[in-house]
Amino acid sequence: MRIAVMGLSTAFTKLFDVEHPIALAPMGGSAGGALTGAVSRGGGLGLLGSGNGDQDWLARELPVLADECAGKPWGIGFQTWAIDDDAVARALEHNPTAVMLSFGDPSPFVERIRSAGTALIIQVTDLEEARRAVDLGADVIVAQGTEAGGHGARHGRSTLPFVPVVVDLAAPVPVLAAGGIADGRGVAAALALGAAGALLGTRFQATTEALVAAATAKAIVEGCGEDTERNRVLDIARGSRWPTQYTARTLGHPFLDEWRGREDELAAALHAQRAYQDALARGEIPALPQWASEAIDLINDLPSAADLVGTLAAQAEDALARAGSR
């Protein structure tokens, strides 16, 4: 059941005409049409996790999104290093409200996005990327701290000190805080830091609409922040081409235990990479690493994402009200 809230009006909510200053991180593969639509239907901004722009995946998920979003604003996110101009062009054919670019140089795609009249969201992981996003004219900037699950800066900064610096640098461009936010108190903290809202990933992975294995959702609900760590080991082992400046925060994994601190050795050990694929084929390891943020201690259920948006907003309002009364 959705919780009625008065609404927290910010530059972000006004820009996209949404009820709540909450956005779905476009998690590659797991933020599919049902999850994206549910977040938008719940009053936030759903962002489809297109990753590298795989045509078959988009062909499957976009019709689902169209059915689920109920005419609400929605967007699509890409791993910038992994796409070409055609991927962006195909996405724009579906008239998204926004396109979000993360991890890499967004400049080759800015003109095409702008010419379509689509809002441009750029995620940044350090101040150099933040300055570039401002120079490129981003409509919204996402400041991601290293607490975030999944990929982020290898040598980044924590969300708490990073967000207000980006807010000051980018003003008046609205900034969303990301990384280690999993309840309404985190959303309230983002607003207190000067952000116009929060972008959440792992919290939305643990919902009924997320495209994740049941074992992954269970691991997130049962895990704690100490169970996560940033690494490149699993990218190397599975042959992923992620740029070296971006590591991934994941839950534990047998290959991580075996190869921790030996990244260069693993990259040259073809037998180890074959062993990873063999273990995958035998079902001994998950099909994908279990990406999770430091905030998983705060996740203890698997609600509908549409209901979750309202719950997060109500919690944020309550936290801000309590802080204001002290």
PDB file of all heavy atoms in Angstrom, residues 267-296:
ATOM      1  N   ALA A 267      44.959 -11.167 -14.538  1.00  0.00           N
ATOM      2  CA  ALA A 267      44.761 -10.737 -15.931  1.00  0.00           C
ATOM      3  C   ALA A 267      45.600 -11.555 -16.904  1.00  0.00           C
ATOM      4  O   ALA A 267      45.214 -11.726 -18.070  1.00  0.00           O
ATOM      5  CB  ALA A 267      45.099  -9.251 -16.055  1.00  0.00           C
ATOM      6  N   ALA A 268      46.733 -12.068 -16.426  1.00  0.00           N
ATOM      7  CA  ALA A 268      47.611 -12.860 -17.301  1.00  0.00           C
ATOM      8  C   ALA A 268      47.343 -14.357 -17.177  1.00  0.00           C
ATOM      9  O   ALA A 268      47.919 -15.155 -17.927  1.00  0.00           O
ATOM     10  CB  ALA A 268      49.073 -12.567 -16.957  1.00  0.00           C
ATOM     11  N   ALA A 269      46.485 -14.740 -16.240  1.00  0.00           N
ATOM     12  CA  ALA A 269      46.246 -16.164 -15.976  1.00  0.00           C
ATOM     13  C   ALA A 269      45.013 -16.636 -16.729  1.00  0.00           C
ATOM     14  O   ALA A 269      43.903 -16.685 -16.182  1.00  0.00           O
ATOM     15  CB  ALA A 269      46.088 -16.386 -14.470  1.00  0.00           C
ATOM     16  N   LEU A 270      45.197 -17.012 -17.974  1.00  0.00           N
ATOM     17  CA  LEU A 270      44.064 -17.442 -18.788  1.00  0.00           C
ATOM     18  C   LEU A 270      43.408 -18.688 -18.208  1.00  0.00           C
ATOM     19  O   LEU A 270      42.186 -18.873 -18.334  1.00  0.00           O
ATOM     20  CB  LEU A 270      44.531 -17.707 -20.222  1.00  0.00           C
ATOM     21  CG  LEU A 270      45.059 -16.479 -20.992  1.00  0.00           C
ATOM     22  CD1 LEU A 270      45.455 -16.881 -22.405  1.00  0.00           C
ATOM     23  CD2 LEU A 270      44.008 -15.379 -21.027  1.00  0.00           C
ATOM     24  N   HIS A 271      44.179 -19.537 -17.557  1.00  0.00           N
ATOM     25  CA  HIS A 271      43.596 -20.739 -16.963  1.00  0.00           C
ATOM     26  C   HIS A 271      42.607 -20.380 -15.861  1.00  0.00           C
ATOM     27  O   HIS A 271      41.581 -21.061 -15.690  1.00  0.00           O
ATOM     28  CB  HIS A 271      44.699 -21.641 -16.398  1.00  0.00           C
ATOM     29  CG  HIS A 271      45.370 -21.092 -15.180  1.00  0.00           C
ATOM     30  ND1 HIS A 271      46.355 -20.118 -15.240  1.00  0.00           N
ATOM     31  CD2 HIS A 271      45.177 -21.348 -13.857  1.00  0.00           C
ATOM     32  CE1 HIS A 271      46.757 -19.822 -14.010  1.00  0.00           C
ATOM     33  NE2 HIS A 271      46.064 -20.540 -13.159  1.00  0.00           N
ATOM     34  N   ALA A 272      42.886 -19.288 -15.132  1.00  0.00           N
ATOM     35  CA  ALA A 272      41.973 -18.866 -14.069  1.00  0.00           C
ATOM     36  C   ALA A 272      40.673 -18.349 -14.646  1.00  0.00           C
ATOM     37  O   ALA A 272      39.592 -18.596 -14.104  1.00  0.00           O
ATOM     38  CB  ALA A 272      42.637 -17.800 -13.205  1.00  0.00           C
ATOM     39  N   GLN A 273      40.761 -17.613 -15.743  1.00  0.00           N
ATOM     40  CA  GLN A 273      39.555 -17.105 -16.379  1.00  0.00           C
ATOM     41  C   GLN A 273      38.718 -18.250 -16.959  1.00  0.00           C
ATOM     42  O   GLN A 273      37.488 -18.214 -16.904  1.00  0.00           O
ATOM     43  CB  GLN A 273      39.931 -16.082 -17.449  1.00  0.00           C
ATOM     44  CG  GLN A 273      40.618 -14.851 -16.861  1.00  0.00           C
ATOM     45  CD  GLN A 273      41.124 -13.895 -17.915  1.00  0.00           C
ATOM     46  OE1 GLN A 273      40.438 -13.600 -18.887  1.00  0.00           O
ATOM     47  NE2 GLN A 273      42.343 -13.406 -17.730  1.00  0.00           N
ATOM     48  N   ARG A 274      39.405 -19.279 -17.477  1.00  0.00           N
ATOM     49  CA  ARG A 274      38.669 -20.464 -17.948  1.00  0.00           C
ATOM     50  C   ARG A 274      38.014 -21.181 -16.768  1.00  0.00           C
ATOM     51  O   ARG A 274      36.884 -21.668 -16.873  1.00  0.00           O
ATOM     52  CB  ARG A 274      39.615 -21.410 -18.696  1.00  0.00           C
ATOM     53  CG  ARG A 274      40.004 -20.931 -20.087  1.00  0.00           C
ATOM     54  CD  ARG A 274      40.631 -22.059 -20.893  1.00  0.00           C
ATOM     55  NE  ARG A 274      41.893 -22.495 -20.304  1.00  0.00           N
ATOM     56  CZ  ARG A 274      43.083 -21.982 -20.602  1.00  0.00           C
ATOM     57  NH1 ARG A 274      43.176 -20.996 -21.494  1.00  0.00           N
ATOM     58  NH2 ARG A 274      44.177 -22.447 -20.042  1.00  0.00           N
ATOM     59  N   ALA A 275      38.716 -21.216 -15.641  1.00  0.00           N
ATOM     60  CA  ALA A 275      38.156 -21.853 -14.449  1.00  0.00           C
ATOM     61  C   ALA A 275      36.908 -21.123 -13.981  1.00  0.00           C
ATOM     62  O   ALA A 275      35.944 -21.751 -13.515  1.00  0.00           O
ATOM     63  CB  ALA A 275      39.208 -21.893 -13.337  1.00  0.00           C
ATOM     64  N   TYR A 276      36.912 -19.801 -14.109  1.00  0.00           N
ATOM     65  CA  TYR A 276      35.735 -19.003 -13.750  1.00  0.00           C
ATOM     66  C   TYR A 276      34.554 -19.411 -14.629  1.00  0.00           C
ATOM     67  O   TYR A 276      33.446 -19.642 -14.127  1.00  0.00           O
ATOM     68  CB  TYR A 276      36.043 -17.516 -13.914  1.00  0.00           C
ATOM     69  CG  TYR A 276      34.921 -16.588 -13.497  1.00  0.00           C
ATOM     70  CD1 TYR A 276      34.888 -16.035 -12.217  1.00  0.00           C
ATOM     71  CD2 TYR A 276      33.899 -16.236 -14.376  1.00  0.00           C
ATOM     72  CE1 TYR A 276      33.868 -15.189 -11.816  1.00  0.00           C
ATOM     73  CE2 TYR A 276      32.872 -15.390 -13.998  1.00  0.00           C
ATOM     74  CZ  TYR A 276      32.865 -14.859 -12.717  1.00  0.00           C
ATOM     75  OH  TYR A 276      31.850 -14.026 -12.339  1.00  0.00           O
ATOM     76  N   GLN A 277      34.780 -19.493 -15.924  1.00  0.00           N
ATOM     77  CA  GLN A 277      33.699 -19.872 -16.838  1.00  0.00           C
ATOM     78  C   GLN A 277      33.222 -21.300 -16.593  1.00  0.00           C
ATOM     79  O   GLN A 277      32.028 -21.593 -16.684  1.00  0.00           O
ATOM     80  CB  GLN A 277      34.173 -19.701 -18.290  1.00  0.00           C
ATOM     81  CG  GLN A 277      34.492 -18.268 -18.671  1.00  0.00           C
ATOM     82  CD  GLN A 277      33.298 -17.344 -18.517  1.00  0.00           C
ATOM     83  OE1 GLN A 277      32.162 -17.738 -18.778  1.00  0.00           O
ATOM     84  NE2 GLN A 277      33.543 -16.112 -18.087  1.00  0.00           N
ATOM     85  N   ASP A 278      34.155 -22.188 -16.252  1.00  0.00           N
ATOM     86  CA  ASP A 278      33.765 -23.579 -15.958  1.00  0.00           C
ATOM     87  C   ASP A 278      32.911 -23.647 -14.694  1.00  0.00           C
ATOM     88  O   ASP A 278      31.899 -24.371 -14.643  1.00  0.00           O
ATOM     89  CB  ASP A 278      35.015 -24.447 -15.796  1.00  0.00           C
ATOM     90  CG  ASP A 278      35.752 -24.669 -17.111  1.00  0.00           C
ATOM     91  OD1 ASP A 278      35.132 -24.428 -18.179  1.00  0.00           O
ATOM     92  OD2 ASP A 278      36.929 -25.063 -17.066  1.00  0.00           O
ATOM     93  N   ALA A 279      33.304 -22.883 -13.671  1.00  0.00           N
ATOM     94  CA  ALA A 279      32.533 -22.862 -12.428  1.00  0.00           C
ATOM     95  C   ALA A 279      31.150 -22.268 -12.663  1.00  0.00           C
ATOM     96  O   ALA A 279      30.155 -22.721 -12.076  1.00  0.00           O
ATOM     97  CB  ALA A 279      33.284 -22.059 -11.364  1.00  0.00           C
ATOM     98  N   LEU A 280      31.084 -21.293 -13.536  1.00  0.00           N
ATOM     99  CA  LEU A 280      29.802 -20.689 -13.892  1.00  0.00           C
ATOM    100  C   LEU A 280      28.911 -21.720 -14.587  1.00  0.00           C
ATOM    101  O   LEU A 280      27.723 -21.859 -14.256  1.00  0.00           O
ATOM    102  CB  LEU A 280      30.044 -19.484 -14.798  1.00  0.00           C
ATOM    103  CG  LEU A 280      28.842 -18.652 -15.230  1.00  0.00           C
ATOM    104  CD1 LEU A 280      28.190 -18.012 -14.015  1.00  0.00           C
ATOM    105  CD2 LEU A 280      29.268 -17.567 -16.219  1.00  0.00           C
ATOM    106  N   ALA A 281      29.482 -22.469 -15.521  1.00  0.00           N
ATOM    107  CA  ALA A 281      28.712 -23.472 -16.253  1.00  0.00           C
ATOM    108  C   ALA A 281      28.212 -24.583 -15.330  1.00  0.00           C
ATOM    109  O   ALA A 281      27.130 -25.138 -15.544  1.00  0.00           O
ATOM    110  CB  ALA A 281      29.572 -24.068 -17.370  1.00  0.00           C
ATOM    111  N   ARG A 282      28.981 -24.870 -14.293  1.00  0.00           N
ATOM    112  CA  ARG A 282      28.573 -25.920 -13.343  1.00  0.00           C
ATOM    113  C   ARG A 282      27.605 -25.388 -12.295  1.00  0.00           C
ATOM    114  O   ARG A 282      27.119 -26.160 -11.443  1.00  0.00           O
ATOM    115  CB  ARG A 282      29.802 -26.506 -12.650  1.00  0.00           C
ATOM    116  CG  ARG A 282      30.727 -27.302 -13.573  1.00  0.00           C
ATOM    117  CD  ARG A 282      31.743 -28.087 -12.758  1.00  0.00           C
ATOM    118  NE  ARG A 282      32.616 -27.198 -11.983  1.00  0.00           N
ATOM    119  CZ  ARG A 282      33.788 -26.729 -12.410  1.00  0.00           C
ATOM    120  NH1 ARG A 282      34.224 -27.061 -13.619  1.00  0.00           N
ATOM    121  NH2 ARG A 282      34.514 -25.947 -11.641  1.00  0.00           N
ATOM    122  N   GLY A 283      27.331 -24.091 -12.309  1.00  0.00           N
ATOM    123  CA  GLY A 283      26.417 -23.507 -11.342  1.00  0.00           C
ATOM    124  C   GLY A 283      27.013 -23.320  -9.962  1.00  0.00           C
ATOM    125  O   GLY A 283      26.281 -23.170  -8.975  1.00  0.00           O
ATOM    126  N   GLU A 284      28.318 -23.303  -9.867  1.00  0.00           N
ATOM    127  CA  GLU A 284      28.984 -23.168  -8.576  1.00  0.00           C
ATOM    128  C   GLU A 284      29.117 -21.717  -8.113  1.00  0.00           C
ATOM    129  O   GLU A 284      29.353 -21.465  -6.926  1.00  0.00           O
ATOM    130  CB  GLU A 284      30.379 -23.812  -8.636  1.00  0.00           C
ATOM    131  CG  GLU A 284      30.339 -25.295  -8.902  1.00  0.00           C
ATOM    132  CD  GLU A 284      31.711 -25.895  -9.147  1.00  0.00           C
ATOM    133  OE1 GLU A 284      32.708 -25.127  -9.179  1.00  0.00           O
ATOM    134  OE2 GLU A 284      31.787 -27.127  -9.312  1.00  0.00           O
ATOM    135  N   ILE A 285      29.001 -20.784  -9.042  1.00  0.00           N
ATOM    136  CA  ILE A 285      29.082 -19.364  -8.724  1.00  0.00           C
ATOM    137  C   ILE A 285      27.927 -18.642  -9.408  1.00  0.00           C
ATOM    138  O   ILE A 285      27.365 -19.148 -10.390  1.00  0.00           O
ATOM    139  CB  ILE A 285      30.435 -18.739  -9.170  1.00  0.00           C
ATOM    140  CG1 ILE A 285      30.638 -18.925 -10.678  1.00  0.00           C
ATOM    141  CG2 ILE A 285      31.588 -19.339  -8.383  1.00  0.00           C
ATOM    142  CD1 ILE A 285      31.901 -18.260 -11.203  1.00  0.00           C
ATOM    143  N   PRO A 286      27.533 -17.472  -8.904  1.00  0.00           N
ATOM    144  CA  PRO A 286      26.418 -16.748  -9.530  1.00  0.00           C
ATOM    145  C   PRO A 286      26.739 -16.344 -10.967  1.00  0.00           C
ATOM    146  O   PRO A 286      27.912 -16.149 -11.329  1.00  0.00           O
ATOM    147  CB  PRO A 286      26.255 -15.501  -8.646  1.00  0.00           C
ATOM    148  CG  PRO A 286      27.018 -15.765  -7.405  1.00  0.00           C
ATOM    149  CD  PRO A 286      28.072 -16.754  -7.739  1.00  0.00           C
ATOM    150  N   ALA A 287      25.692 -16.205 -11.772  1.00  0.00           N
ATOM    151  CA  ALA A 287      25.884 -15.802 -13.163  1.00  0.00           C
ATOM    152  C   ALA A 287      26.518 -14.420 -13.267  1.00  0.00           C
ATOM    153  O   ALA A 287      27.269 -14.135 -14.200  1.00  0.00           O
ATOM    154  CB  ALA A 287      24.550 -15.819 -13.899  1.00  0.00           C
ATOM    155  N   LEU A 288      26.224 -13.558 -12.301  1.00  0.00           N
ATOM    156  CA  LEU A 288      26.831 -12.232 -12.235  1.00  0.00           C
ATOM    157  C   LEU A 288      27.327 -11.994 -10.820  1.00  0.00           C
ATOM    158  O   LEU A 288      26.776 -12.546  -9.862  1.00  0.00           O
ATOM    159  CB  LEU A 288      25.802 -11.149 -12.603  1.00  0.00           C
ATOM    160  CG  LEU A 288      25.379 -11.053 -14.059  1.00  0.00           C
ATOM    161  CD1 LEU A 288      24.219 -10.081 -14.193  1.00  0.00           C
ATOM    162  CD2 LEU A 288      26.545 -10.617 -14.945  1.00  0.00           C
ATOM    163  N   PRO A 289      28.365 -11.176 -10.650  1.00  0.00           N
ATOM    164  CA  PRO A 289      28.739 -10.777  -9.293  1.00  0.00           C
ATOM    165  C   PRO A 289      27.546 -10.135  -8.593  1.00  0.00           C
ATOM    166  O   PRO A 289      26.691  -9.531  -9.228  1.00  0.00           O
ATOM    167  CB  PRO A 289      29.865  -9.753  -9.529  1.00  0.00           C
ATOM    168  CG  PRO A 289      30.398 -10.065 -10.888  1.00  0.00           C
ATOM    169  CD  PRO A 289      29.227 -10.559 -11.678  1.00  0.00           C
ATOM    170  N   GLN A 290      27.500 -10.268  -7.287  1.00  0.00           N
ATOM    171  CA  GLN A 290      26.397  -9.685  -6.517  1.00  0.00           C
ATOM    172  C   GLN A 290      26.794  -8.284  -6.072  1.00  0.00           C
ATOM    173  O   GLN A 290      27.398  -8.084  -5.022  1.00  0.00           O
ATOM    174  CB  GLN A 290      26.057 -10.587  -5.332  1.00  0.00           C
ATOM    175  CG  GLN A 290      25.471 -11.924  -5.772  1.00  0.00           C
ATOM    176  CD  GLN A 290      25.213 -12.872  -4.628  1.00  0.00           C
ATOM    177  OE1 GLN A 290      25.933 -12.893  -3.631  1.00  0.00           O
ATOM    178  NE2 GLN A 290      24.170 -13.694  -4.754  1.00  0.00           N
ATOM    179  N   TRP A 291      26.441  -7.288  -6.917  1.00  0.00           N
ATOM    180  CA  TRP A 291      26.767  -5.901  -6.622  1.00  0.00           C
ATOM    181  C   TRP A 291      25.887  -5.402  -5.481  1.00  0.00           C
ATOM    182  O   TRP A 291      24.668  -5.600  -5.494  1.00  0.00           O
ATOM    183  CB  TRP A 291      26.569  -5.050  -7.871  1.00  0.00           C
ATOM    184  CG  TRP A 291      27.515  -5.387  -8.973  1.00  0.00           C
ATOM    185  CD1 TRP A 291      28.866  -5.180  -8.976  1.00  0.00           C
ATOM    186  CD2 TRP A 291      27.210  -5.986 -10.236  1.00  0.00           C
ATOM    187  NE1 TRP A 291      29.416  -5.623 -10.163  1.00  0.00           N
ATOM    188  CE2 TRP A 291      28.426  -6.125 -10.951  1.00  0.00           C
ATOM    189  CE3 TRP A 291      26.025  -6.426 -10.828  1.00  0.00           C
ATOM    190  CZ2 TRP A 291      28.491  -6.669 -12.225  1.00  0.00           C
ATOM    191  CZ3 TRP A 291      26.076  -6.979 -12.101  1.00  0.00           C
ATOM    192  CH2 TRP A 291      27.305  -7.097 -12.785  1.00  0.00           C
ATOM    193  N   ALA A 292      26.504  -4.733  -4.510  1.00  0.00           N
ATOM    194  CA  ALA A 292      25.736  -4.263  -3.359  1.00  0.00           C
ATOM    195  C   ALA A 292      26.475  -3.118  -2.674  1.00  0.00           C
ATOM    196  O   ALA A 292      27.700  -3.131  -2.583  1.00  0.00           O
ATOM    197  CB  ALA A 292      25.511  -5.398  -2.369  1.00  0.00           C
ATOM    198  N   SER A 293      25.717  -2.156  -2.173  1.00  0.00           N
ATOM    199  CA  SER A 293      26.313  -0.989  -1.519  1.00  0.00           C
ATOM    200  C   SER A 293      26.560  -1.253  -0.045  1.00  0.00           C
ATOM    201  O   SER A 293      26.092  -2.239   0.532  1.00  0.00           O
ATOM    202  CB  SER A 293      25.401   0.235  -1.675  1.00  0.00           C
ATOM    203  OG  SER A 293      24.457   0.311  -0.627  1.00  0.00           O
ATOM    204  N   GLU A 294      27.290  -0.326   0.588  1.00  0.00           N
ATOM    205  CA  GLU A 294      27.553  -0.439   2.016  1.00  0.00           C
ATOM    206  C   GLU A 294      26.283  -0.312   2.849  1.00  0.00           C
ATOM    207  O   GLU A 294      26.290  -0.637   4.040  1.00  0.00           O
ATOM    208  CB  GLU A 294      28.543   0.644   2.453  1.00  0.00           C
ATOM    209  CG  GLU A 294      29.971   0.395   1.995  1.00  0.00           C
ATOM    210  CD  GLU A 294      30.939   1.394   2.597  1.00  0.00           C
ATOM    211  OE1 GLU A 294      30.506   2.228   3.420  1.00  0.00           O
ATOM    212  OE2 GLU A 294      32.121   1.341   2.234  1.00  0.00           O
ATOM    213  N   ALA A 295      25.216   0.156   2.247  1.00  0.00           N
ATOM    214  CA  ALA A 295      23.979   0.415   3.005  1.00  0.00           C
ATOM    215  C   ALA A 295      23.062  -0.789   3.092  1.00  0.00           C
ATOM    216  O   ALA A 295      21.925  -0.663   3.541  1.00  0.00           O
ATOM    217  CB  ALA A 295      23.222   1.580   2.370  1.00  0.00           C
ATOM    218  N   ILE A 296      23.527  -1.993   2.723  1.00  0.00           N
ATOM    219  CA  ILE A 296      22.602  -3.127   2.694  1.00  0.00           C
ATOM    220  C   ILE A 296      22.107  -3.515   4.086  1.00  0.00           C
ATOM    221  O   ILE A 296      21.083  -4.191   4.194  1.00  0.00           O
ATOM    222  CB  ILE A 296      23.203  -4.360   1.979  1.00  0.00           C
ATOM    223  CG1 ILE A 296      24.491  -4.824   2.656  1.00  0.00           C
ATOM    224  CG2 ILE A 296      23.436  -4.071   0.519  1.00  0.00           C
ATOM    225  CD1 ILE A 296      25.000  -6.145   2.099  1.00  0.00           C
TER     226      ILE A 296
END
